[in-house]
């Protein structure tokens, strides 16, 4: 392991927690057919594992958004690049995210989805960095509380790298990573 980053949540911890979340969601939605919506690209790894732990009929859909300028400077307003292709009226919608940070993007996205009149709308996030929250937003399902340090792996990227790491790494020196974006590639070689 390099000193640039350390394992914050290992693959086994993630697997156990995703199983637990899947069981909870299965219990909460029994008798219903939820629509799980993931936001490209970070949330897709979590979504792929989560749906296999939910023992219910369900649908999955993807959305892609792009902030107007930076996330904070845009106050969370996003342009929808890819939208769900079904009518959400009367559906039980569960938005699946990798991480909720300031909550700006998510609250805007939730308001868009709410306007489509689903019968329920909940948020499931693998990581919740509640300490950074700017807008009040409490996800119904949370995998782990996340400290205020930059993380990569399990869908989360740095300049499009590291989404395929099985563990979630906490980056202690983002300046060094910016200087050498490949600096964590050795973690891909660590056998599971
Ligand atoms: P926010 O909640 O601030 O509107 O934005 C959340 C989004 O910012 C996440 O979906 C993710 O794409 C990105 N993000 C926030 N924190 C991190 C982090 O520590 N690592 C990575 N890779 N992306 C992050």
């Amino acid at each position: 392991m390099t000193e640039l980053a350390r394992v914050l949540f290992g693959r086994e911890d993630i697997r156990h927690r995703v199983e637990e979340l899947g069981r909870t969601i299965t219990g909460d939605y029994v008798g219903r057919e939820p629509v799980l919506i993931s936001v490209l690209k970070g949330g897709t790894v979590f979504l792929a594992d989560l749906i296999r732990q939910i023992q219910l009929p369900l649908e999955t859909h993807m959305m892609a958004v792009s902030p107007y300028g930076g996330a904070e400077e845009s106050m969370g307003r996003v342009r929808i690049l890819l939208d769900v292709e079904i009518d959400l009226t009367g559906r039980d919608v569960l938005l699946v995210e990798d991480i909720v940070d300031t909550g700006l993007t998510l609250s805007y996205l939730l308001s868009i989805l709410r306007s489509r009149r689903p019968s329920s709308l909940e948020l499931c996030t693998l990581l919740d960095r509640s300490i950074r929250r700017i807008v009040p937003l409490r996800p119904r399902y949370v995998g782990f509380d996340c400290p205020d340090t930059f993380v990569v792996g399990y869908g989360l990227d740095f300049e499009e790298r590291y989404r395929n790491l099985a563990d979630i790494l906490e980056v202690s020196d983002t300046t060094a990573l910016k200087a050498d974006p490949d600096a964590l590639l050795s973690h891909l070689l660590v056998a599971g």
Side-chain angles (χ1 to χ4, degrees):
M1 295 284 159
T2 62
E3 59 199 359
L4 197 61
R6 68 173 189 97
V7 175
L8 182 62
F9 302 112
R11 60 198 73 186
E12 282 306 306
D13 293 337
I14 296 171
R15 191 172 62 78
H16 283 130
R17 191 67 192 112
V18 173
E19 279 172 14
E20 284 174 357
L21 286 172
R23 267 198 301 277
T24 306
I25 292 168
T26 301
D28 289 355
Y29 285 84
V30 77
R32 295 186 280 168
E33 192 169 331
V35 178
L36 276 71
I37 299 174
S38 174
V39 186
L40 295 174
K41 302 170 190 171
T44 53
V45 175
F46 178 38
L47 179 81
D49 283 348
L50 182 66
I51 56 173
R52 285 175 288 174
Q53 301 300 329
I54 299 176
Q55 263 100 64
L56 294 173
L58 55 76
E59 284 183 42
T60 60
H61 293 273
M62 302 290 166
M63 288 184 85
V65 299
S66 139
Y68 291 103
E72 288 183 39
E73 132 202 1
S74 72
M75 290 311 285
R77 285 188 316 116
V78 288
R79 197 193 335 256
I80 296 180
L81 304 177
L82 174 73
D83 207 343
V84 292
E85 64 270 26
I86 58 158
D87 181 5
L88 295 175
T89 311
R91 302 300 304 267
D92 292 295
V93 174
L94 184 56
L95 190 58
V96 177
E97 259 287 15
D98 48 1
I99 184 166
V100 183
D101 191 55
T102 63
L104 283 168
T105 314
L106 256 292
S107 67
Y108 187 74
L109 204 51
L110 285 166
S111 71
I112 291 173
L113 293 172
R114 204 170 289 119
S115 73
R116 297 176 183 180
R117 307 195 173 284
S119 77
S120 69
L121 177 60
E122 299 290 352
L123 174 60
C124 174
T125 184
L126 181 67
L127 303 179
D128 186 7
R129 191 184 282 130
S130 51
I131 196 165
R132 290 249 312 156
R133 202 76 91 248
I134 291 177
V135 289
L137 196 161
R138 287 185 59 196
R140 170 93 180 261
Y141 306 99
V142 173
F144 302 100
D145 289 320
C146 186
D148 193 9
T149 43
F150 188 73
V151 292
V152 293
Y154 198 75
L156 289 146
D157 75 311
F158 177 74
E159 295 185 358
E160 294 302 324
R161 293 165 177 81
Y162 309 121
R163 295 192 196 277
N164 57 331
L165 281 172
D167 306 310
I168 293 175
L169 304 184
E170 176 179 44
V171 180
S172 51
D173 189 345
T174 47
T175 311
L177 187 59
K178 277 195 189 103
D180 178 11
D182 288 331
L184 298 177
L185 285 181
S186 60
H187 287 266
L188 287 171
L189 305 174
V190 177

